[in-house]
Amino acid sequence: MKRRNFLRNIGFTGGIFALPSVMAETGNTGFEKENQLLVKGKVISNGKGIPGVSVTDGIRVYQTNKNGEYAFLANENADFVYMSTPAGYAFTHQNHIPQFFVPVKGKRGTFSHDFVLEKLSVDDQQHNFVVWADTQMISADDCAQLKATTVLDFKNLMQQYPANTLFHGIGCGDLVWDKFEFFKDYKEAIDMTGVPFFNVIGNHDMDLNSRTDDYSAETFKEQFGPTYYSFNRGSIHYVVLDDVFFIGTAKKYIGYFTETQLAWLERDLQFVAPGTTVVVNLHIPTFTGAPKRNKKEEDFGGTVSNRKKLYALLAPYKVHIMSGHTHFNESWEQDNMMEHNHGTVCGAWWTGPICGDGTPRGYGVYEVNGSDISWYYKSTDKDKDHQLRIYPKGYDKNNPEEIAVNIWNWDTKWKIEWLEDGVFKGAPTQKVAKDPWAVELYEGPALPQKHKFVEPTLTEHLFFIKPSSGAKKITVRATDRFGKTFEESISL
């Protein structure tokens, strides 16, 4: 069958971006119904087609024509056909789990599906999002804590913003702790927030009995859809990736991007203008300072082995990478790129109020204005200006003559100062050390009682002050990169 007749027979005579390129790439001149899948449909809002929307089978990426139509031959191994929600439209969701996909696994013949969107009533150039890293529930009690603390905290935070402020969330992996029955509770928590959450697969969200990595996400896909995809809001292009590669035995995994996924990302980004701000969300951080702090080689399960291949694809853009996994809070920045590795919602696996580096259990909050992003760390059950903790002199047993200060969201563009009895004394001394409260709560084989494997971790966001013998009051002033100042004092 000639291509012109083929197009006429499926109802289109021109203008479809996808189908001619597929025919050219595959060399097919006809459609073999028994072993191929033709997917077609529209992306529409209020009955009108939306042009230029990316639609994909997870392998190739196509765009809708001027009438909002798409049609292409899906890859035979495709699990879903899905779209990249365009800016200006609400996120279609079911109980606040986004529904931007349709399952096609095992289908053959012709499959039609229209993606229906609702136009936003407010300008999405200004919007906010939160990153929840490692909710990681292993018991009903953990689930109850998530709902009673983090959900309530987030709802209270949103009330501090003007009405109709746009929010969405990123569940940054390890949504549960190998207990898939608690996906139900995670979903209930998300629904309670009233905010759509896009979800990332973590190493504790994988099917550990699968034969290879190819099948390690079957349960996750049933719950949340594709493991890698993109969407848009305002001027920001968001990407979610799966960087947890299961090696097929026990709970072993490495941080790694498959070629299939990187090739998909390359195709997705061809429709994103250079210079655009791109927010990449994944579970295992691409890189951290932990190996240097601990004077050890990189752990294959702690960072992404082929991260430089990702960086190369992202070189034309202004990039923020959102990650979890480590249960500590830190960031790094180089050239066009900054990675935010988040402290966890669960703290130290729901055993106490802080992570192993002293970061309070909580989540990242990001405020978007056009292509610019500002951020802060929100500690659960604390005011949003709670950004540092001062310890009494001698509380850190390794520095008995000094006052330790933990400034968990510190990065190299913060300015840290201290005053003694109102007199400016300059910058405190930064050290790689363990948070003294984390030592008290978690260090040693008997602590914490709930999960004895938890230990304090070395961090770079600790600062030390040696007061004069007669000092009565020490004040620490921390100014973040956006010019906002946080101040705490301690009496001696």
Side-chain angles (χ1 to χ4, degrees):
M1 184 186 295
K2 298 214 180 271
R3 190 174 71 178
R4 184 183 306 163
N5 293 333
F6 171 68
L7 290 170
R8 185 180 297 116
N9 288 343
I10 66 169
F12 304 119
T13 56
I16 302 300
F17 297 168
L19 196 55
S21 61
V22 170
M23 301 299 290
E25 290 166 356
T26 62
N28 291 332
T29 57
F31 172 55
E32 298 298 333
K33 189 171 183 178
E34 66 273 11
N35 59 16
Q36 292 181 307
L37 174 64
L38 170 67
V39 292
K40 62 178 183 175
K42 291 184 177 182
V43 181
I44 57 176
S45 179
N46 291 326
K48 294 184 178 180
I50 306 172
V53 177
S54 290
V55 183
T56 181
D57 59 358
I59 304 295
R60 303 192 183 279
V61 182
Y62 310 100
Q63 288 209 312
T64 55
N65 70 2
K66 64 181 181 181
N67 299 316
E69 300 162 324
Y70 71 90
F72 58 88
L73 296 177
N75 184 275
E76 64 179 357
N77 294 320
D79 289 323
F80 304 95
V81 167
Y82 48 106
M83 65 160 180
S84 183
T85 303
Y89 293 88
F91 299 130
T92 303
H93 64 84
Q94 182 176 5
N95 299 327
H96 297 98
I97 301 299
Q99 301 293 305
F100 54 91
F101 56 89
V102 59
V104 297
K105 186 175 182 178
K107 296 184 183 296
R108 295 294 181 263
T110 301
F111 180 81
S112 297
H113 180 78
D114 292 341
F115 294 100
V116 181
L117 297 175
E118 180 182 342
K119 190 78 174 173
L120 286 169
S121 59
V122 295
D123 184 3
D124 62 357
Q125 288 294 316
Q126 289 189 321
H127 65 271
N128 301 337
F129 66 97
V130 296
V131 177
W132 284 13
D134 301 76
T135 44
Q136 202 155 344
M137 298 89 69
I138 200 171
S139 68
D141 179 67
D142 294 348
C143 297
Q145 285 196 65
L146 174 67
K147 295 172 185 176
T149 59
T150 309
V151 169
L152 182 61
D153 185 89
F154 180 30
K155 292 177 73 172
N156 290 338
L157 176 68
M158 287 189 287
Q159 291 177 1
Q160 299 174 34
Y161 286 84
N164 299 319
T165 298
L166 290 173
F167 268 93
H168 68 272
I170 304 293
C172 211
D174 283 0
L175 311 182
V176 296
W177 189 353
D178 302 329
K179 300 286 189 179
F180 292 166
E181 62 265 34
F182 295 132
F183 278 139
K184 175 178 176 290
D185 292 89
Y186 174 79
K187 286 183 167 183
E188 289 173 354
I190 294 308
D191 197 28
M192 289 168 65
T193 71
V195 169
F197 266 70
F198 294 86
N199 297 291
V200 178
I201 188 169
N203 52 289
H204 288 292
D205 304 317
M206 297 190 303
D207 295 291
L208 298 175
N209 293 323
S210 59
R211 189 166 66 184
T212 65
D213 181 70
D214 301 80
Y215 301 102
S216 63
E218 294 303 300
T219 301
F220 183 93
K221 290 176 182 178
E222 291 172 3
Q223 297 288 331
F224 303 104
T227 60
Y228 58 91
Y229 52 93
S230 68
F231 60 95
N232 303 276
R233 175 145 279 185
S235 295
I236 311 297
H237 185 66
Y238 293 87
V239 175
V240 170
L241 296 176
D242 171 7
D243 65 350
V244 183
F245 188 90
F246 178 56
I247 65 171
T249 181
K251 296 183 179 182
K252 302 295 185 181
Y253 58 87
I254 61 174
Y256 180 80
F257 297 112
T258 63
E259 172 57 26
T260 297
Q261 191 171 183
L262 290 175
W264 169 85
L265 178 61
E266 186 172 26
R267 290 162 181 146
D268 176 77
L269 292 174
Q270 71 180 320
F271 300 113
V272 179
T276 297
T277 299
V278 176
V279 174
V280 178
N281 306 276
L282 36 76
H283 181 61
I284 297 175
T286 65
F287 182 71
T288 76
K292 181 179 178 181
R293 288 192 294 273
N294 293 295
K295 298 179 181 179
K296 294 181 179 179
E297 294 290 327
E298 278 192 58
D299 176 3
F300 281 145
T303 55
V304 177
S305 301
N306 58 343
R307 58 181 174 263
K308 291 184 179 180
K309 307 306 180 184
L310 173 69
Y311 300 164
L313 292 177
L314 296 170
Y317 305 100
K318 180 181 178 181
V319 179
H320 291 271
I321 300 174
M322 308 293 167
S323 57
H325 186 58
T326 63
H327 292 244
F328 56 69
N329 199 69
E330 72 169 22
S331 62
W332 61 266
E333 187 173 12
Q334 185 174 340
D335 301 326
N336 67 317
M337 192 172 303
M338 185 170 190
E339 180 159 4
H340 310 259
N341 185 213
H342 294 81
T344 61
V345 168
C346 71
W349 293 268
W350 301 107
T351 62
I354 59 174
C355 302
D357 67 339
T359 299
R361 64 186 182 96
Y363 49 95
V365 183
Y366 296 82
E367 300 174 336
V368 178
N369 183 7
S371 60
D372 295 324
I373 303 178
S374 60
W375 57 88
Y376 60 92
Y377 187 87
K378 177 64 178 71
S379 302
T380 303
D381 295 332
K382 298 288 186 180
D383 186 89
K384 68 178 183 178
D385 288 339
H386 179 61
Q387 297 294 325
L388 64 141
R389 185 189 309 116
I390 304 178
Y391 293 106
K393 179 182 174 180
Y395 194 78
D396 185 331
K397 306 305 181 188
N398 293 318
N399 297 278
E401 300 300 316
E402 297 179 271
I403 291 169
V405 185
N406 197 327
I407 306 175
W408 42 84
N409 213 34
W410 171 87
D411 65 49
T412 57
K413 292 186 178 178
W414 282 56
K415 182 180 180 182
I416 315 299
E417 307 165 283
W418 70 283
L419 296 87
E420 183 178 89
D421 296 327
V423 178
F424 176 72
K425 305 293 284 188
T429 302
Q430 185 177 13
K431 298 181 183 181
V432 174
K434 294 177 181 179
D435 177 88
W437 191 16
V439 170
E440 182 179 65
L441 290 173
Y442 307 136
E443 190 163 71
L447 295 173
Q449 187 173 3
K450 183 175 179 179
H451 297 304
K452 293 182 173 58
F453 67 85
V454 175
E455 291 292 331
T457 56
L458 292 171
T459 181
E460 294 170 39
H461 49 67
L462 280 171
F463 300 82
F464 290 83
I465 293 165
K466 190 172 184 178
S468 303
S469 58
K472 292 181 170 51
K473 181 180 179 181
I474 300 297
T475 298
V476 177
R477 187 178 295 157
T479 304
D480 70 11
R481 61 165 56 210
F482 308 109
K484 187 164 186 178
T485 297
F486 310 98
E487 190 172 289
E488 298 283 348
S489 299
I490 190 171
S491 297
L492 303 179

